[in-house]
Amino acid sequence: MSPPAPPGAPTDRADRADRAVSADAVLEAAGRIVERHGADALTMRRLSDELGVAVTSIYWHVGGRDAVLDGLVDRLLARMEELPVGEGPPVERIAALARSLRATLLERPHLVGLAHERDRTPAMFSPVQHAMARELAALGVSGAEAALVLRALQVHVVSSVLMARAAARSAGHGTVDPALWPDDWSDPELADALARPADYETVFEYGLAALLAPFRAESGRGRRPLDADRAPGRCD
């Protein structure tokens, strides 16, 4: 029988765990911690406890805390490059990309915030912009008009995510007290509807359909490009 290891010395079991861990495993565990508790909760000691390995093993495979955080952002950016586009004509593929982007932003709030803190937001959105731009080009939309459409879609997605997160924190978010409407208002059903919590999934789909409606109507036939000099929010 082998003599007991001295205090602080790694055991055979710890040695095997350290050898078995990989950079991917480190980043998977770090991602779980960040998504459960936020980036501030990620420490090397907590990460080593989550993995069941020595801190030195994490340094060996990935690096220090900053390297781990950079690795998490890189993984998020790689995921953005693989968002499902779906099938169908270009307009439907743009809609699918917008839905996929929204779902990812909702599912990974802390990682998205981390990307923003590390000044990687433009890089995070670039893959989706490129994919949407290719679909717009297939529709004959380019230049300043394409830039305007891309920005409108991004604002719509991000605004929807912010509203959905606010609603998750407060059940009454977005409701309007009917008493704020005049007593003689001609549409009491409107006031009653606004007094109920919003379904932001439905709101998102309604807005997305409105943004893409002109392209659906004109798909498959010639279209006159928007005069960007006269369009609101000129993008040049």
Side-chain angles (χ1 to χ4, degrees):
M1 180 175 180
S2 302
T11 63
D12 288 344
R13 182 177 180 183
D15 284 342
R16 289 194 297 271
D18 283 1
R19 286 195 297 269
V21 77
S22 65
D24 281 343
V26 170
L27 293 175
E28 284 287 345
R32 290 194 297 270
I33 293 171
V34 169
E35 283 303 343
R36 289 180 197 146
H37 309 291
D40 289 344
L42 180 66
T43 65
M44 298 301 283
R45 175 56 60 190
R46 186 169 194 167
L47 183 54
S48 71
D49 290 343
E50 177 86 7
L51 289 162
V53 302
V55 171
T56 52
S57 182
I58 299 172
Y59 278 99
W60 175 263
H61 288 286
V62 179
R65 184 175 183 273
D66 273 347
V68 172
L69 293 176
D70 284 338
L72 290 177
V73 173
D74 288 341
R75 283 164 66 93
L76 176 63
L77 267 55
R79 176 171 178 166
M80 290 297 189
E81 293 177 355
E82 299 172 355
L83 292 181
V85 179
E87 303 294 335
V91 174
E92 302 310 324
R93 291 162 69 85
I94 292 171
L97 283 164
R99 294 185 187 105
S100 296
L101 175 59
R102 180 178 184 269
T104 299
L105 296 180
L106 285 172
E107 290 168 6
R108 300 286 189 271
H110 291 296
L111 289 178
V112 170
L114 181 62
H116 179 70
E117 290 171 8
R118 300 181 90 77
D119 200 25
R120 303 290 296 280
T121 302
M124 180 175 63
F125 285 113
S126 287
V128 181
Q129 287 182 333
H130 297 165
M132 287 183 172
R134 285 191 289 271
E135 302 302 332
L136 286 170
L139 292 169
V141 183
S142 61
E145 182 183 4
L148 182 59
V149 175
L150 289 176
R151 285 175 172 161
L153 288 166
Q154 184 171 319
V155 166
H156 180 57
V157 170
V158 172
S159 298
S160 175
V161 169
L162 293 176
M163 296 295 278
R165 287 180 185 165
R169 292 191 296 267
S170 173
H173 179 269
T175 59
V176 179
D177 186 349
L180 295 176
W181 290 82
D183 292 337
D184 59 351
W185 188 256
S186 61
D187 188 0
E189 185 179 350
L190 169 62
D192 290 341
L194 289 174
R196 296 190 292 271
D199 177 354
Y200 284 110
E201 180 81 24
T202 300
V203 173
F204 170 76
E205 289 294 337
Y206 184 88
L208 182 62
L211 282 169
L212 296 178
F215 305 106
R216 285 195 172 103
E218 296 170 358
S219 180
R221 67 173 185 264
R223 60 188 306 275
R224 183 173 65 85
L226 176 70
D227 184 348
D229 288 334
R230 292 185 289 106
R234 180 179 174 180
C235 301
D236 54 353

